[in-house]
Amino acid sequence: MNHFPVQRFPPGKLNLTTSEKKVVDKLIQAAEEVAEIYKLQENPRMPGANFYPHDATKEEILKESQKNPEILSPYTIIERKDNKLQAVPYHAKYKKQLEKIAKSIRAAAKLTGNKEFSSRLYLQADSLIQGKYEASDIYWLSMKPYKINFVIGPIERYDDKLFFTKCSYQSWIGIMDEEQTKEAIAFKDYIVSARRKVLAPSEKVEFLNKIQVRVDHTLIFSGLISRYMFTSSNLPNDVNLMEKHGSEIVIFKQSFDNKFKTQHLPIFKAVFEDKFQQGYSSSVLKTGSLRNTYLHEISHPLLRYRDAETRLKEYFPVFDEIAASVFGVRACGSLLLKNIISQKELESIIVMFIARAFAWWISYLKEPGVLHYAKGFAIALNYFLDNGAIRGSQGFSWPNFTKLFVSITELADALERILAVGTYEDAKQFVDEYASLEVFERFRGNLKKFT
Ligand SMILES: [Zn+2]
């Protein structure tokens, strides 16, 4: 992990005018500059990265934070001065770097012919300098989707393994893939409107209208995201902002393509029965896998139950993640009824659901932090096996597609019930019954090259 935290992607055939290209060049410059800040923040050897003094204990930080809440702000660096912990705001700490970045962003804002995008860029530059991100986020969520997508700032908390509170700097630039975006929006609109019919009018659903989804051809990942190579994102992270102003789901096409080629497809070949495999071409599988990605993201906000986190405690992330995946696949049943997708396409979504389950298990073997994904997918696989909806002794296959789909529907209901009204005990029982990772272990031999 020592290489510089910037990942450039081949530009491919992009439909950009000369002036748009100039805008993008300035933004790439800003993105690259943000990697300098990330470099100062990251430290894989320390659970608190470089956000806290290396000699500070968790207890000491917690104790100090009671006197000074800024200690646990997502946007401060903690330093020890005169034997006391102090919180230095990011925008003061990194002032020099941020001024340079803001200059590049403002240059792009001046160049662009799109007025809305220009205002957005000026707000982004200001937000970095002032350390206040809300106005810029709100403007972005209210803006019409524009072909150039530029995200920059302290956003994700994954590097703070001590408190999961400090945000790391990152940036990405994407150019909208119009065809794929159109399909993702059609799926979203259909699923959201079907969902609205089953919700009671009293339930809070206004923000469902404000979910945006896009598939982007990514040009650059910088900072944290270049380390994690996410295939999708759903921002903002602030729940209150999201409820008021909606959210934007982005699928990162190249990052996804890469994961499909190096993981999803080879896993499919390793865990499914040979004869079964012949029914699915790699292109139909790729579409199936991409659809899993955005179905999962679209489903998340549809399954938000206010007190689920407090009720289910440490089991919450397990249910939150797997419910979104299963719900997304189940929702495709209605897309089949409406002839929006064929049965073969629905099957390939489910085939890839299973392959991706193994991809999470493999990630978990390398990064224990993603255990809740692996456990969630174990629940699904064990549930299907128990019901006889899939067979798994000689590689997976299913005897009967209808049976499998009924099983998916039942599981989606069971998971949602736990999120909606389940107790801690209900969640625990479900996990004890179904979440055994043994279901993955049996295939360890086939998956040797990954583990
Ligand atoms: Zn998720």
Side-chain angles (χ1 to χ4, degrees), residues 296-297 300 321 373:
H296 175 94
E297 296 292 355
H300 260 310
E321 293 304 338
Y373 286 95

Side-chain angles (χ1 to χ4, degrees), residues 158 232 234 293 296-297 300 317 320-322 324-325 360 372-373:
Y158 300 105
S232 63
N234 193 349
T293 307
H296 175 94
E297 296 292 355
H300 260 310
D320 185 42
E321 293 304 338
I322 191 58
S325 289
W360 277 113
H372 56 289
Y373 286 95

